[in-house]
């Protein structure tokens, strides 16, 4: 997303309703504004492409827990996430969640607060050179599930746990009655990406588009 020309940035703003434009313009840092703008035009492009409607017809709202949804389409679910240089989106006919995180130095002790006992135990049993990467493997899986569930942080982070064995994701929750499925994607060696869905089918690869390509698509709608 770096290096987006001002003319293209302004054109992208034009695809959004006034309240969204005003919100983006209030960002102090250009990088934050660009990230938010990219997420906004990305989901609009995806909606227009999947549903065959015009951008002007796209209207979003939020649930009581704050999760965005598309008005008028009960069988269209989506979720967005961003970190570093990436903005990602997942869509499904059932609730879906996605999370991407840039791998960075982190105080691993926070796992004792936000992870289950099982997850923290698995993490600290890893070799030192594996701990940070495994931390973000677990973090993105947990975030993707929380976002798919839709209740946000009202869902206790230690009320369920993940374990990765032989590259397989194991999900355990005593209170969860619904069936969830998970998939991890490698789109950048410096990031971790996880998707949670109530559908078992996932695409094999992530479709990658540039800011310019997304803008061009919306221009042609």
């Amino acid at each position: 997303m770096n290096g987006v020309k001002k003319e293209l940035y302004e054109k992208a703003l034009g695809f959004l309703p006034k309240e969204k434009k005003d919100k983006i313009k209030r960002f102090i840092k250009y990088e934050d504004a660009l990230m938010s703008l990219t997420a906004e035009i990305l989901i609009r492009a995806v909606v227009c492409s999947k549903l065959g409607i015009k951008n002007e017809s796209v209207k979003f709202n939020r649930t009581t827990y704050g999760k965005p949804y598309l008005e008028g389409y009960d069988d269209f679910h989506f979720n967005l996430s961003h970190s570093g240089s990436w903005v990602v989106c997942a869509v499904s006919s059932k609730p879906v969640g996605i999370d991407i995180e840039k791998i960075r130095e982190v105080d691993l002790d926070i796992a004792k607060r936000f992870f289950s006992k099982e997850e923290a135990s698995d993490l600290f049993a890893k070799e030192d050179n594996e701990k940070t990467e495994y931390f973000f493997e677990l973090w993105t899986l947990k975030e993707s599930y929380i976002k798919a569930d839709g209740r946000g942080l009202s869902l206790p982070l230690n009320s369920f746990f993940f374990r990765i064995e032989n590259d397989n994701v194991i999900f355990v929750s005593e209170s969860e009655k619904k069936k969830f499925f998970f998939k991890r994607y490698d789109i950048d060696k410096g990031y971790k990406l996880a998707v949670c869905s109530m559908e078992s089918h996932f695409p094999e690869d992530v479709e990658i588009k540039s800011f310019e390509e997304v803008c061009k698509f919306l221009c042609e709608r």
Side-chain angles (χ1 to χ4, degrees):
M1 293 186 302
N2 293 332
V4 173
K5 295 181 179 179
K6 181 176 177 57
E7 180 181 351
L8 187 59
Y9 179 90
E10 293 296 332
K11 179 179 288 188
L13 276 176
F15 297 124
L16 309 183
K18 185 179 184 302
E19 64 271 17
K20 290 291 185 180
K21 292 181 191 176
D22 292 343
K23 181 180 178 181
I24 289 173
K25 289 177 179 178
R26 286 196 293 269
F27 281 107
I28 297 174
K29 292 183 178 179
Y30 170 74
E31 292 80 6
D32 294 335
L34 181 59
M35 189 74 73
S36 180
L37 175 59
T38 303
E40 292 287 349
I41 65 169
L42 175 60
I43 185 55
R44 286 177 173 274
V46 171
V47 168
C48 292
S49 175
K50 295 289 185 182
L51 300 179
I53 62 177
K54 292 185 178 296
N55 179 51
E56 293 78 10
S57 301
V58 177
K59 289 182 172 57
F60 297 109
N61 209 327
R62 289 183 179 272
T63 67
T64 54
Y65 290 103
K67 185 176 182 179
Y69 67 90
L70 180 66
E71 286 190 356
Y73 294 86
D74 294 339
D75 59 349
F76 184 90
H77 298 262
F78 71 92
N79 196 234
L80 292 153
S81 179
H82 60 76
S83 181
S85 300
W86 290 95
V87 176
V88 292
C89 174
V91 297
S92 176
S93 62
K94 296 181 180 179
V96 65
I98 188 169
D99 190 58
I100 186 169
E101 298 290 341
K102 186 174 183 178
I103 300 172
R104 57 196 183 278
E105 289 300 318
V106 64
D107 182 359
L108 295 176
D109 281 340
I110 66 174
K112 297 174 183 177
R113 293 174 52 206
F114 296 111
F115 286 7
S116 69
K117 291 181 179 179
E118 293 87 351
E119 289 167 337
S121 177
D122 289 347
L123 173 65
F124 289 110
K126 296 286 183 182
E127 297 293 332
D128 286 346
N129 63 343
E130 299 176 332
K131 288 178 180 176
T132 299
E133 191 164 331
Y134 191 71
F135 173 90
F136 284 106
E137 291 271 19
L138 293 176
W139 188 271
T140 51
L141 285 167
K142 290 175 78 69
E143 281 290 321
S144 70
Y145 167 62
I146 290 168
K147 295 168 79 176
D149 177 86
R151 287 177 286 171
L153 293 180
S154 64
L155 178 68
L157 290 173
N158 62 358
S159 65
F160 56 91
F161 77 86
F162 288 92
R163 177 170 287 149
I164 302 171
E165 292 182 353
N166 300 320
D167 213 34
N168 293 316
V169 175
I170 299 170
F171 172 65
V172 178
S173 172
E174 294 182 0
S175 61
E176 183 59 76
K177 304 302 181 185
K178 299 185 289 291
K179 185 71 173 177
F180 286 93
F181 302 90
F182 301 87
K183 187 172 178 63
R184 294 168 294 151
Y185 290 95
D186 294 320
I187 62 169
D188 190 318
K189 64 180 181 180
Y191 293 77
K192 292 296 179 182
L193 171 62
V195 180
C196 170
S197 175
M198 292 183 70
E199 291 187 310
S200 60
H201 175 72
F202 293 86
E204 283 301 312
D205 300 301
V206 177
E207 184 177 354
I208 299 176
K209 298 291 184 181
S210 68
F211 189 93
E212 290 79 3
E213 288 174 314
V214 176
C215 280
K216 182 179 179 183
F217 175 83
L218 286 176
C219 282
E220 294 171 350
R221 297 305 296 175

